Structure formats: structure tokens, C-alpha cells
Amino acid sequence: MNVLKRCIYAFSIVSLAIMNIQCKGDKKSQETTTAEAVTIEKTAYGTTPTGDKVDRYKLKNQKGMEVDIITYGGIITSLKVPNKAGVSEEIVLGFNKLEQYTKDNPYFGAIIGRYGNRIAKAQFSLDGTTYKLAANNDANNLHGGPEGFHRVIWTAEEAKGGDTATLKLKYVSKDMEEGFPGNLTVFVTYSLTKDNTLDVIYEATTDKKTIVNLTQHSYFNLSGDFAKTILDHEIVIDADQLVPVDANLIPTGKLDDVTHTPFDFRKPKAIGKEIETTNEQLKRGLGYDHCWVLNNQDKGFRFAASAYEPTSGRLLEVFTDEPGIQLYTGNFLDGTLPTRDAKTYAHRTGLCLETQHYPDSPNQKDFPTTVLNPGDKYQSKTSFKFSTK
């Protein structure tokens, strides 16, 4: 009997020890899972024609979202998110090779600066001095010029902490680069969270009075099928007013009410519903290529717009502290640019939601200012939140 008790006691001790090891193992597993809620990985991406090496950073979470960003142009080359069935698919237009990004293209996935959108007659004045810029959009300057921020090499610093993976890019734009005054130090920080949100934070300082208007130029097709157009995407834009443009797509200087026009997206509406109407503004843009005046500008960071694709169930919500948002519906995509699977991007197979100040603000006294003074800091934040419904 004593022998039996000793055996039972010994067995109990061993069992408790095993259970303790398992518990520690489970705890370690949980800690690893938490630590790896997001990951960031660096790989070589290629070399530019001028010999600059370009790196790619993959930010990834456990919910099926991953974002690839390269140091050339700060470009988002890939963005995958799940559909309503849980299948992660590519949802941004892009290329397979660096070579294609270094050639002329419609700013796929790039950081835009110093000035996003158009500046009339490729010039502006500050304190009595007129600054001449490159005319790369007929007589106007577009997206900072032909050698804007979309074509420069950014330095990168990666970080991972808790539930967020972060890539902080830096570029110093020299005084009079592309015609803009001041040595401008720019930081753009991409952060992927565990809940399928991509935050983009812009910061800049200058040593000389200048203008700044930064944005992100990804083309979305939430269907995950780039053979399909984006005309079925249902859009919401929280804006009562539009920035109307002239025949050269330059703001007229006034603001128009969107009520009873094809530009009223205050309730969900498919892009294709009114895009082919005879509205004069739509004819000028060959579709939607306009800046909306976002509501509640005094509230800072808030909901701005959303896009929903019914087949995939993907929903993109955009939040920002910017006064405006440009909806562009891929009107100039013409089937000449290659997709990742050796096909081509056809007319209106991607849409952009570019958070920004209004076009041509430096020449429009009644628009919110884009002037940055020495000693001040330019700061802006935009979030792209993905879900399904």
C-alpha cells in the first residue's frame, strides 16, 4: 500500500511538472503571437538607371493585410487585403519591376510633392518674388514637376512595436529643386496596424518660406480583378462643395454646391451612375478628376470618404485632417501600361482618393494656405481603413 501511494505521489508530481511546462509554453506562444501581430521585412528591389539601390519593405499583419513600399518615390507597389470570404488579394495598380516605375507612368502608388495637384501657369509668388516651375501638364505644373518626390530616393527607418509596423521615410529637397524655394526636410511615415489600417503621416520643415502640399497617389480597385473597371464602386464623400475647374483643370476660384449635381456623393453612389452625363465639369475632367471641399474642417482628423465594392465586399474608409480630397477615376488610363500578369490597365480600372489642399492654392487668395514658414512644421495625417461588409 505504501508503495502504491508513493507511485501515485510521484505520478502527480510529474504530471504537475508537465502541466507547468505546457503552461509556460502556451504563455510563450501567446507572447510570440502578440509580438508578431505585425511584421516588417526588408529586401533589395533593384537599381535605378542612375545606379541608386532601392529597397522594398513589406509590412504585414495577421489579418491578411500586407503593404509593400519601396524607397524609390516612397511608392506603395502592392497592397493586399481580404475580401468578404477572407481571401487576400491585390487591390492597387502597380508594376512588377523597378524599371517600370522609373519610366513615365501615372504616379502609381507614389508620394507626391512638393505640391500635389496643379499650379496654374507653373508659377506662384511669395512676398513679391515669382517662382517659375516646370510646365509638365500643358502650361501648368502638376504634382511637383517631372522630377518631383515620386522620382527621388528616400532613406528609410523601420520600427515594430506592439501592434504596429512602421516605416519612416526621409528626403531633403534642396533649395530651388524643381523651382521651389527653401531646403525642405520631409518625413513620410507609413504605419500598418493589426486592424487593417494604413496610417500615413506627413511632416516637413523649411529654412525659407515655401509652399507644401503632400499626398499619396495609390490607384485602388477593390474588386481585386484589374480586368474590371471601378464604375461599380460605391463612393461616399463628406463634402457639400466642390472646387470647380476651367478647361485646363485649374480652379476657377469659387466653390460650387454639389446638390443636384453628379458630384453629390454624400450618400453612397456608384461611380458609373452619372459619370457619362453631359455635365460641363465632367466633360472637362473626362470623368471625375476634381477636389471636394471636405466638411467639418474645424474638427481636424475625421471621416472624409469611402469606397465599397459589392462583389468582393471590400470597404475602404479614408480619414484625414486635410481640407480637401481629389477623386480621380483613372480617366487617362488607356491600355498601354502593363499589369502584373502581362495584361494592361484599361480605361477606369483604378481610382484615387488623394487627401490634400485645394489645387492652385498658392494663386488663390481665398483658399486655405499652403505656405510653410521657417520655424513652423507642416503636419498632416491620412488613414486608409479596410474592412468588409
Side-chain angles (χ1 to χ4, degrees):
M1 190 67 178
N2 289 338
V3 173
L4 180 59
K5 286 183 178 180
R6 284 197 297 271
C7 288
I8 292 173
Y9 176 76
F11 178 77
S12 300
I13 294 297
V14 172
S15 297
L16 287 170
I18 292 172
M19 289 174 64
N20 188 43
I21 291 172
Q22 288 176 334
C23 288
K24 288 182 178 179
D26 289 343
K27 183 178 181 181
K28 183 177 180 181
S29 176
Q30 290 170 359
E31 290 172 350
T32 301
T33 299
T34 300
E36 297 299 321
V38 291
T39 60
I40 184 167
E41 178 185 355
K42 174 184 176 182
T43 56
Y45 190 70
T47 305
T48 68
T50 55
D52 295 306
K53 293 183 179 180
V54 177
D55 293 320
R56 173 174 56 191
Y57 291 83
K58 182 184 291 291
L59 285 61
K60 188 175 182 179
N61 67 20
Q62 290 189 335
K63 291 189 176 180
M65 181 170 172
E66 57 183 71
V67 185
D68 288 2
I69 301 162
I70 60 174
T71 50
Y72 179 82
I75 293 170
I76 294 175
T77 61
S78 173
L79 197 163
K80 297 177 181 177
V81 296
N83 62 13
K84 60 186 177 183
V87 179
S88 288
E89 296 172 306
E90 185 66 71
I91 62 161
V92 295
L93 279 61
F95 303 121
N96 282 327
K97 297 179 181 179
L98 174 62
E99 176 187 5
Q100 294 163 317
Y101 288 106
T102 61
K103 295 178 180 179
D104 286 341
N105 72 83
Y107 307 94
F108 281 169
I111 295 170
I112 302 299
R114 287 188 192 192
Y115 197 94
N117 220 310
R118 295 171 177 85
I119 296 179
K121 298 180 181 179
Q123 66 181 35
F124 66 96
S125 296
L126 284 176
D127 297 336
T129 300
T130 298
Y131 295 93
K132 300 283 188 177
L133 310 173
N136 62 328
N137 183 243
D138 295 326
N140 308 308
N141 178 268
L142 176 66
H143 292 334
E147 301 300 320
F149 291 177
H150 61 292
R151 289 196 181 276
V152 303
I153 302 294
W154 297 70
T155 59
E157 180 181 341
E158 60 181 279
K160 185 178 66 177
D163 299 326
T164 304
T166 297
L167 182 67
K168 189 170 188 176
L169 302 177
K170 178 183 179 181
Y171 178 66
V172 178
S173 176
K174 295 182 179 179
D175 182 34
M176 300 310 297
E177 181 176 295
E178 292 294 276
F180 293 91
N183 292 298
L184 188 77
T185 301
V186 184
F187 294 94
V188 177
T189 304
Y190 290 106
S191 295
L192 174 64
T193 71
K194 68 175 183 178
D195 65 351
N196 287 2
T197 297
L198 179 66
D199 294 327
V200 188
I201 296 175
Y202 309 91
E203 302 168 283
T205 55
T206 184
D207 63 358
K208 185 179 179 181
K209 194 171 186 177
T210 191
I211 59 170
V212 186
N213 185 31
L214 307 179
T215 193
Q216 219 292 328
H217 210 294
S218 285
Y219 286 67
F220 299 99
N221 187 324
L222 299 179
S223 73
D225 181 358
F226 299 106
K228 296 178 59 177
T229 72
I230 44 77
L231 296 179
D232 68 337
H233 285 50
E234 297 174 7
I235 302 295
V236 173
I237 302 177
D238 187 20
D240 298 333
Q241 293 180 304
L242 179 78
V243 181
V245 295
D246 63 18
N248 296 312
L249 301 183
I250 296 298
T252 62
K254 65 175 185 176
L255 304 178
D256 281 354
D257 192 320
V258 300
T259 304
H260 304 309
T261 75
F263 295 89
D264 190 349
F265 284 96
R266 289 173 291 187
K267 294 181 180 179
K269 182 175 65 178
I271 288 174
K273 183 176 181 180
E274 296 178 291
I275 198 170
E276 299 297 343
T277 62
T278 57
N279 178 278
E280 185 62 29
Q281 285 294 312
L282 284 174
K283 288 195 292 183
R284 289 174 181 177
L286 300 181
Y288 295 108
D289 189 6
H290 296 76
C291 185
W292 274 254
V293 178
L294 292 172
N295 294 333
N296 302 311
Q297 294 185 13
D298 59 332
K299 293 184 178 179
F301 190 74
R302 75 277 186 208
F303 172 80
S306 66
Y308 170 67
E309 201 284 314
T311 302
S312 68
R314 291 187 179 93
L315 173 67
L316 164 60
E317 297 172 283
V318 182
F319 301 81
T320 191
D321 52 16
E322 289 283 352
I325 190 166
Q326 184 94 1
L327 169 63
Y328 172 58
T329 49
N331 310 316
F332 296 100
L333 295 174
D334 59 4
T336 60
L337 295 172
T339 63
R340 297 179 184 85
D341 57 358
K343 297 177 183 177
T344 58
Y345 291 114
H347 188 51
R348 293 178 178 153
T349 51
L351 68 90
C352 302
L353 289 166
E354 307 159 56
T355 57
Q356 57 186 244
H357 274 58
Y358 313 153
D360 198 37
S361 288
N363 296 313
Q364 303 284 349
K365 61 182 180 62
D366 295 327
F367 286 3
T369 183
T370 55
V371 171
L372 179 66
N373 290 299
D376 292 340
K377 187 174 185 179
Y378 172 95
Q379 287 183 298
S380 180
K381 178 181 178 180
T382 294
S383 292
F384 300 95
K385 183 177 181 179
F386 296 91
S387 60
T388 59
K389 67 175 185 177

